[in-house]
């Protein structure tokens, strides 16, 4: 029986073109999804585009086109690049799709009916770039400047519909306390808790100063605030807002296992979104995981600084190093935890060489070459599974422990840890080869049985490591699986695929060269 799982990326603004940040979040969600599918889960992996709001309206006006035309153009571009990055999403939601708009209106109608949304007047401060209102207290904390763009906040008075966020402060605090993994990493959870302790104010959820958005039901002139519209995507994609009367439907994929977001949008996801779900009497996501930022040479990436890793730059990396190398770098060197990661061409090349050329490429190629040389490419029989018997755990035990460790780390979204344990397995094989020196043993026919066992054990372990690396590097690991005679993913249960010892003796092992050594080119960001 397969279990269901759900993971989401933020939905990306269509007034921007795809860049490293979008590639990053989407790729790490893809790695998790592929790992969960390998383990037999039925995964719903959602991504999409956030298409409403005054930013899109303004960008379209600047180009002299309609907002919908801009949205169509850039949503198509986002969808195109999913294929470039090898992304296995299950759905792509666009907030201008009728399925989304219809459900957002129905959900808001329910919130008005229950009193969670009401009409009121707002006086405070407005962050134009973020389309976000701030109270006096918060604006003072921010020094009356946008925390994102640094531009001054402007004074605003507006009649809006409000969401009664203040009513959920206690329930949210209780939820944080009883679910320590609700917001991760811990540093981010503590930040949210500190802000929660300051108290919550009701938030305006409609705007009257622009028209490109979902119109508020029964309220002419009121357009749903883009953030509220956008947050609902996580449930409209699952049809949870498509209800008769007051009841919401269910979905095997809800609540989501993970909402993966950048740290700058955590407040919306960790506080406003859960409160909206509480108001709708829907279960809360299990974990909201906020990663940090890619930066360049210690500085924030920005178009004006010309250090932005945009799509053409990414394309150059992929052309030079290959897609799987790009994915590996994203998933293992990225800002998954509470600190930012520096992106540099030099570091990229170092990681490519150390991890991929010297380990993931070299170890299987060494094993394959020795099997070719000493056994005509045919896997010999292992008659001495624990050899020498007092040398510690068997390879079977090592692999089984590694697989369990990897499973635990993947489930916990510890992608760096999961990658490391898989790499350690290959490094251990390398050490084993150096220690047992099969090339020396091969000189004396009396060692034939021992040599056969050693190479069988190496091949079996390499195959298992390849399976664990597959979510990170699907196409290279498919090559490895083919060369070591194992079945492609999806066709065999996880318990069999992850098991040590499944390559039958007598099987032909192909030689392979997975990652060629490449020169450290200087890949400069595109000119701004
Ligand atoms: O905020 N490093 O969309 P957006 C790592 N539409 N990740 C980065 C990054 C960087 N330097 N820059 C961006 C929005 N990201 C809203 C979301 S969700 C209901 C609505 C990633 O196009 C990161 O995931 O600005 C961040 O949260 C997201 O892109 C913002 O994308």
């Amino acid at each position: 029986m397969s279990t269901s799982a759900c993971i989401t990326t933020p939905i990306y603004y269509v007034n921007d073109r795809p860049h490293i940040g979008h590639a990053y979040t989407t790729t790490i969600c893809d790695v998790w999804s592929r790992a969960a599918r390998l383990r037999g889960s039925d995964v719903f992996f959602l991504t999409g585009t956030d298409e409403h709001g005054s930013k899109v309206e303004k960008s379209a006006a600047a180009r002299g086109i309609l907002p919908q035309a801009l949205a169509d153009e850039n949503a198509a571009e986002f969808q195109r690049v999913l294929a470039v990055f090898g992304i296995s999403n299950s759905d792509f939601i666009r907030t201008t799709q009728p399925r989304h708009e219809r459900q957002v209106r129905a959900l808001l109608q329910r919130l008005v009916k229950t009193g969670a949304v009401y009409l009121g007047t707002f006086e405070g401060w407005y962050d134009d770039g973020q389309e976000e209102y701030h109270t006096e207290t918060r604006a003072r904390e921010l020094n009356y400047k946008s925390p994102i763009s640094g531009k001054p906040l402007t004074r605003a008075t507006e009649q809006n519909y409000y969401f009664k966020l203040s009513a959920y402060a206690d329930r949210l605090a209780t939820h944080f306390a009883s679910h320590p993994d609700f917001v991760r990493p811990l540093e981010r959870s503590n930040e949210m808790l500190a802000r929660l302790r300051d108290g919550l104010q009701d938030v305006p959820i409609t705007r009257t100063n622009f028209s490109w958005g979902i119109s508020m039901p029964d309220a002419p002139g009121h357009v749903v605030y883009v953030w509220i519209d956008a947050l609902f995507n996580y449930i409209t994609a699952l049809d949870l807002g498509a209800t008769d009367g007051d009841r919401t439907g269910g979905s095997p994929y809800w609540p989501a296992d993970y909402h993966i977001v950048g740290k700058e949008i955590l407040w919306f996801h960790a506080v406003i979104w859960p409160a909206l779900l509480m108001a709708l009497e829907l279960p809360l996501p299990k974990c909201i995981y906020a990663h940090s930022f890619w930066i360049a040479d210690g500085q924030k990436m920005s178009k004006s600084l010309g250090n932005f890793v945009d799509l053409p730059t990414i394309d150059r990396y992929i052309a030079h190093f290959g897609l799987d190398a790009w994915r590996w770098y994203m998933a293992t060197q990225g800002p998954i935890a509470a600190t930012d990661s520096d992106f540099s061409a030099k570091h990229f090349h170092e990681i490519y060489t150390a991890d991929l050329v010297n380990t993931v490429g070299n170890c299987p190629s060494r094993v394959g070459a020795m099997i070719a040389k000493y056994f005509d490419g045919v896997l010999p029989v292992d008659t001495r599974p624990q050899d020498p018997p007092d040398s510690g755990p068997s390879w079977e035990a090592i692999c089984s422990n590694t697989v369990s460790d990897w499973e635990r780390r993947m489930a916990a979204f510890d992608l760096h840890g999961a990658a490391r344990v898989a790499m350690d397995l290959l490094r251990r094989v390398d050490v084993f080869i150096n220690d047992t020196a099969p090339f020396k043993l091969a000189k004396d026919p009396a060692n034939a049985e021992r040599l056969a066992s050693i190479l069988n054990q190496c091949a079996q372990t390499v195959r298992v490591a390849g399976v664990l690396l597959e979510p990170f590097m699907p196409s290279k690991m498919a090559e490895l699986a083919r060369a070591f005679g194992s079945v492609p993913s999806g066709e065999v249960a996880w318990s069999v695929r992850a098991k040590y010892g499944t390559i039958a003796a007598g099987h032909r092992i192909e030689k392979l060269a997975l990652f060629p050594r490449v020169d450290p080119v200087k890949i400069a960001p595109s000119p701004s």
Side-chain angles (χ1 to χ4, degrees):
M1 196 196 75
S2 82
T3 48
S4 304
C6 174
I7 187 164
T8 67
T9 72
I11 50 171
Y12 305 117
Y13 284 130
V14 284
N15 58 322
D16 209 357
R17 298 179 66 79
H19 56 64
I20 185 173
H22 306 130
Y24 177 62
T25 316
T26 316
T27 301
I28 59 178
C29 289
D30 186 69
V31 170
W32 189 89
S33 298
R34 286 175 187 267
R37 287 191 192 113
L38 261 179
R39 296 197 311 272
S41 288
D42 168 20
V43 180
F44 185 76
F45 165 18
L46 179 66
T47 188
T49 39
D50 189 354
E51 307 192 355
H52 290 130
S54 71
K55 267 203 262 191
V56 176
E57 195 172 62
K58 280 182 198 157
S59 303
R63 281 189 44 197
I65 57 175
L66 290 173
Q68 187 66 63
L70 178 70
D72 289 346
E73 187 182 303
N74 277 345
E77 178 68 354
F78 272 100
Q79 278 170 292
R80 187 187 69 78
V81 303
L82 292 176
V84 173
F85 297 134
I87 303 300
S88 65
N89 56 307
S90 326
D91 196 354
F92 187 95
I93 188 150
R94 302 182 51 189
T95 55
T96 57
Q97 284 168 335
R99 62 166 171 167
H100 175 76
E101 298 195 352
R102 194 173 51 237
Q103 290 180 66
V104 168
R105 269 197 286 272
L107 290 162
L108 285 168
Q109 247 158 352
R110 278 182 45 206
L111 292 173
V112 170
K113 209 162 152 190
T114 59
V117 165
Y118 64 92
L119 190 64
T121 306
F122 174 84
E123 269 182 73
W125 297 88
Y126 187 62
D127 178 342
D128 196 36
Q130 288 301 101
E131 297 176 42
E132 189 179 358
Y133 283 95
H134 294 293
T135 59
E136 183 59 41
T137 326
R138 178 81 185 132
R140 199 176 318 124
E141 271 169 27
L142 297 173
N143 231 346
Y144 302 96
K145 282 192 192 129
S146 164
I148 307 294
S149 67
K151 291 193 185 139
L153 302 176
T154 51
R155 192 81 204 143
T157 310
E158 207 179 324
Q159 206 182 42
N160 298 116
Y161 282 86
Y162 278 76
F163 171 52
K164 233 186 220 172
L165 183 63
S166 58
Y168 297 91
D170 290 347
R171 274 180 71 186
L172 283 168
T174 308
H175 191 83
F176 270 71
S178 56
H179 298 79
D181 283 340
F182 181 54
V183 172
R184 289 175 52 208
L186 185 64
E187 292 86 336
R188 299 278 106 86
S189 180
N190 288 340
E191 278 168 22
M192 293 299 116
L193 271 171
R195 279 180 70 180
L196 266 178
R197 276 189 217 107
D198 287 345
L200 291 177
Q201 272 159 345
D202 295 352
V203 283
I205 60 150
T206 60
R207 302 285 187 264
T208 50
N209 56 354
F210 69 95
S211 60
W212 179 238
I214 300 179
S215 53
M216 180 73 184
D218 314 313
H222 285 270
V223 173
V224 179
Y225 173 36
V226 63
W227 259 105
I228 301 298
D229 168 353
L231 286 167
F232 280 131
N233 92 85
Y234 301 126
I235 56 172
T236 60
L238 295 171
D239 263 352
L240 284 180
T243 54
D244 307 327
D246 289 343
R247 281 183 312 112
T248 40
S251 161
Y253 304 113
W254 193 262
D257 293 270
Y258 285 104
H259 286 321
I260 309 296
V261 299
K263 61 183 175 183
E264 85 290 12
I265 57 174
L266 182 57
W267 179 253
F268 291 104
H269 284 85
V271 174
I272 298 180
W273 177 229
L276 281 168
L277 289 167
M278 285 173 177
L280 290 164
E281 294 176 11
L282 283 169
L284 305 194
K286 292 176 204 156
C287 176
I288 297 143
Y289 191 104
H291 62 71
S292 303
F293 277 149
W294 279 108
I295 52 173
D297 302 317
Q299 281 182 301
K300 192 177 169 197
M301 285 190 189
S302 86
K303 286 187 186 133
S304 51
L305 288 175
N307 62 1
F308 211 87
V309 179
D310 58 8
L311 202 53
T313 311
I314 297 172
D315 281 342
R316 288 198 285 276
Y317 275 89
I318 293 177
H320 195 71
F321 294 97
L323 171 60
D324 279 357
W326 169 262
R327 289 173 57 98
W328 179 254
Y329 191 75
M330 286 290 99
T332 64
Q333 304 301 313
I336 200 161
T339 40
D340 292 341
S341 292
D342 209 30
F343 187 93
S344 85
K346 184 165 166 282
H347 188 231
F348 195 110
H349 182 260
E350 283 164 9
I351 293 296
Y352 176 81
T353 306
D355 287 357
L356 303 187
V357 179
N358 294 347
T359 308
V360 186
N362 190 49
C363 178
S365 128
R366 243 178 136 186
V367 172
M370 285 192 284
I371 293 173
K373 190 160 170 195
Y374 308 131
F375 296 96
D376 290 329
V378 171
L379 187 73
V381 182
D382 175 14
T383 51
R384 306 159 64 137
Q386 203 154 355
D387 180 45
D390 55 359
S391 67
S394 66
W395 281 105
E396 182 166 11
I398 293 170
C399 285
S400 143
N401 288 338
T402 301
V403 168
S404 309
D405 195 7
W406 179 94
E407 286 173 333
R408 257 192 316 275
R409 290 174 187 278
M410 273 295 184
F413 210 72
D414 174 12
L415 305 193
H416 290 194
R420 193 173 54 246
V421 300
M423 290 293 280
D424 283 349
L425 199 53
L426 290 176
R427 294 203 174 101
R428 244 171 131 155
V429 171
D430 273 334
V431 170
F432 181 60
I433 294 173
N434 295 346
D435 288 352
T436 55
F439 28 88
K440 283 190 195 148
L441 295 176
K443 291 183 182 145
D444 182 351
N447 294 324
E449 204 187 330
R450 177 141 192 250
L451 178 68
S453 294
I454 289 169
L455 291 181
N456 182 304
Q457 289 159 25
C458 290
Q460 304 288 0
T461 306
V462 162
R463 189 198 65 80
V464 172
V467 172
L468 303 184
L469 291 170
E470 189 183 304
F472 299 91
M473 298 181 282
S475 61
K476 290 290 180 183
M477 291 307 105
E479 259 181 67
L480 177 65
R482 276 195 298 276
F484 277 67
S486 75
V487 275
S489 64
E491 292 179 23
V492 167
W494 172 241
S495 54
V496 176
R497 288 206 76 215
K499 192 171 149 54
Y500 174 89
T502 57
I503 324 174
H507 204 102
R508 178 156 286 284
I509 305 287
E510 306 292 336
K511 284 209 257 182
L512 85 167
L514 288 173
F515 294 98
R517 214 164 272 286
V518 299
D519 292 333
V521 285
K522 189 163 166 38
I523 299 182
S526 309
S528 49

